[in-house]
Amino acid sequence: MSDITKTDELTALRAEIDRIDEELCLALKKRFQVVKKIGEYKKSVGLSVTDGGRESAVYEHIAPLFDNENERSAAKSIYLEIITRSKELQK
């Protein structure tokens, strides 16, 4: 494979990552909008922002979406941050 072909392939793969990143950001934006609504609801009925059972359920829900333990572990770390930021948005 020539250097030009390798470079073209790398450029194409990076463009694919850019498109996926855009999809992720749009999904996060939607998630944060719903999170804010949940925060408003919790405030209105006097519920705590933190719900350990729900956090565990989120991890259990996403785990089967990944092919191996390394991917599941990476996703759980990312979701830990997403959940942390989501709780901040609910306050």
Side-chain angles (χ1 to χ4, degrees):
M1 185 178 287
S2 73
D3 287 341
I4 292 174
T5 305
K6 289 179 185 177
T7 301
D8 290 344
E9 182 179 1
L10 181 58
T11 300
L13 290 169
R14 287 179 173 163
E16 184 176 355
I17 290 292
D18 289 345
R19 285 189 297 276
I20 293 167
D21 286 344
E22 289 171 10
E23 292 173 16
L24 283 170
C25 287
L26 290 173
L28 273 174
K29 184 177 178 179
K30 288 179 186 177
R31 189 183 201 286
F32 291 154
Q33 290 169 347
V34 173
V35 160
K36 289 175 187 175
K37 291 178 184 177
I38 290 170
E40 291 169 7
Y41 174 81
K42 285 180 176 181
K43 283 179 192 172
S44 74
V45 297
L47 291 175
S48 171
V49 167
T50 301
D51 181 348
R54 174 62 183 151
E55 292 174 30
S56 295
V58 169
Y59 298 135
E60 289 175 22
H61 176 75
I62 66 163
L65 301 174
F66 297 93
D67 296 329
N68 59 60
E69 189 55 38
N70 285 339
E71 290 178 2
R72 281 187 286 280
S73 178
K76 185 173 181 178
S77 294
I78 292 165
Y79 265 83
L80 177 63
E81 187 65 24
I82 290 170
I83 289 171
T84 298
R85 300 298 174 199
S86 294
K87 288 189 283 189
E88 291 172 2
L89 290 171
Q90 287 184 15
K91 294 180 180 177

